[in-house]
């Protein structure tokens, strides 16, 4: 059997962020429509002393012929060895015969599909005439988060904030060069208060355990994507923002309600109800939910990720790579 190996450079030749935004939309719709078989992920503690963990995320999406599994390994001590601390691999299986058909770099896949899901939410929830964007956090996921918003809105100024201003400066310089085709000015800022009251779109991509901005300061009509927090004790988003929001959407309501401190903490405090959070972006894309109803309405999207995004994005990458004859083939 022939297996296609797709490394990071191959993937970036095969697809762009808009391809993955469309793939993510399909994954969201499929999940909300009940067309995904996504078991709970399996977590194995490899070494408790070093907190080394292996995570297996399998799934099958029939309509997209997407069958496979993403493997993420969390090895904190790798940093001392000069290695990536969370290597990831996506394995795609041919649903017709059960053989592996592709092995894909899971790290860039995760970055692309995570940025793209924010892009999808921004496209359907933010005001169409949005011109300014604020990105909070400049870690490994930040580049695709920035590009995804630029891909769906005609942004003129994109502000970048990080607790380490020098890191924000380096990131802004790199992104100005890499994303110059979008025509946006990408500017590092020292204080959030410089722009918080005026920006049209905000994306947070941090692992903070306390809110990273003042929810009372943002203007009416803002759209916010919360991406970084994925455990019950992480809380990037200020509860005040959730209280003010007219519409709240999630990638998966069960995942967000069970895993995201952004909603778990304010729900426990009685600041928001479970019902306010229980709306999926896939249902909005399917026409089952009502989205933004006015330019003044505040909207919020929360993602914790799920294997369906990886599967559909991975299948899209595989198909486009085959069409463009990209990647390395091996015989088994």
């Amino acid at each position: 059997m022939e297996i296609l190996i797709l490394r990071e450079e191959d993937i970036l030749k095969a697809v762009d962020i808009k391809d993955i935004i469309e793939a993510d939309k399909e994954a969201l719709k499929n999940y909300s429509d009940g067309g995904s078989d996504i078991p709970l992920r399996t977590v194995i503690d490899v070494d408790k002393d070093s907190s080394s963990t292996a995570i297996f995320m399998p799934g099958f999406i029939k309509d997209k012929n997407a069958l496979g599994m993403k493997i993420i390994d969390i090895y904190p001590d790798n940093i001392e060895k000069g290695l990536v601390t969370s290597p990831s691999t996506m394995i795609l299986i041919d649903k017709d015969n059960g053989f592996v058909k592709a092995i894909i770099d899971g790290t860039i896949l995760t970055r692309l599909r995570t940025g793209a899901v924010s892009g999808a939410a921004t496209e359907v929830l933010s005001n169409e005439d949005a011109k300014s964007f604020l990105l909070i956090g400049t870690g490994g996921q930040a580049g695709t988060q920035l590009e995804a918003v630029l891909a769906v809105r005609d942004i003129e100024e994109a502000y970048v904030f990080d607790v380490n201003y020098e890191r924000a400066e380096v990131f802004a310089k790199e992104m100005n060069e890499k994303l110059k085709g979008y025509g946006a000015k990408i500017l590092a800022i020292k204080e959030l208060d410089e722009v918080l009251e005026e920006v049209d779109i905000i994306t947070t991509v941090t692992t903070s355990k306390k809110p990273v901005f003042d929810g009372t300061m943002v203007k009416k009509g803002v759209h916010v994507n919360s991406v970084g927090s994925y455990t019950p004790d992480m809380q990037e988003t200020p509860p005040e923002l959730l209280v003010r929001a007219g519409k709240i959407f999630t990638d998966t309501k069960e995942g967000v309600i069970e895993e995201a401190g952004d909603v778990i903490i304010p729900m426990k405090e009685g600041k928001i109800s479970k019902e306010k959070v229980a709306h999926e972006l896939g249902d909005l894309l399917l026409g089952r939910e009502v989205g933004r109803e006015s330019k003044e309405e505040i909207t919020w999207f929360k993602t914790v990720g799920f294997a369906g995004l990886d599967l559909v994005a991975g299948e899209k990458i595989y198909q486009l790579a085959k069409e463009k004859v990209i990647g390395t083939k091996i015989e088994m």
Side-chain angles (χ1 to χ4, degrees), residues 64 85 104 115 121 152 170 173 205 211 258 276 304:
K64 300 300 174 185
T85 57
I104 299 173
V152 299
V170 170
K173 183 178 180 180
V205 57
E258 291 178 13
K276 187 172 185 179
V304 291

Side-chain angles (χ1 to χ4, degrees), residues 32-58:
S32 293
D33 207 29
S36 302
D37 186 354
I38 308 293
L40 291 174
R41 56 190 174 188
T42 299
V43 180
I44 298 175
D45 291 324
V46 179
D47 185 344
K48 291 186 177 180
D49 291 335
S50 66
S51 298
S52 297
T53 304
I55 303 170
F56 300 87
M57 301 169 62

Side-chain angles (χ1 to χ4, degrees), residues 6 27-28 93 97 141 150 207 221 224 261 288:
L6 294 170
L28 290 163
I93 298 169
N97 57 36
Q141 297 286 339
L150 299 185
T207 55
V224 180
R288 297 171 178 170

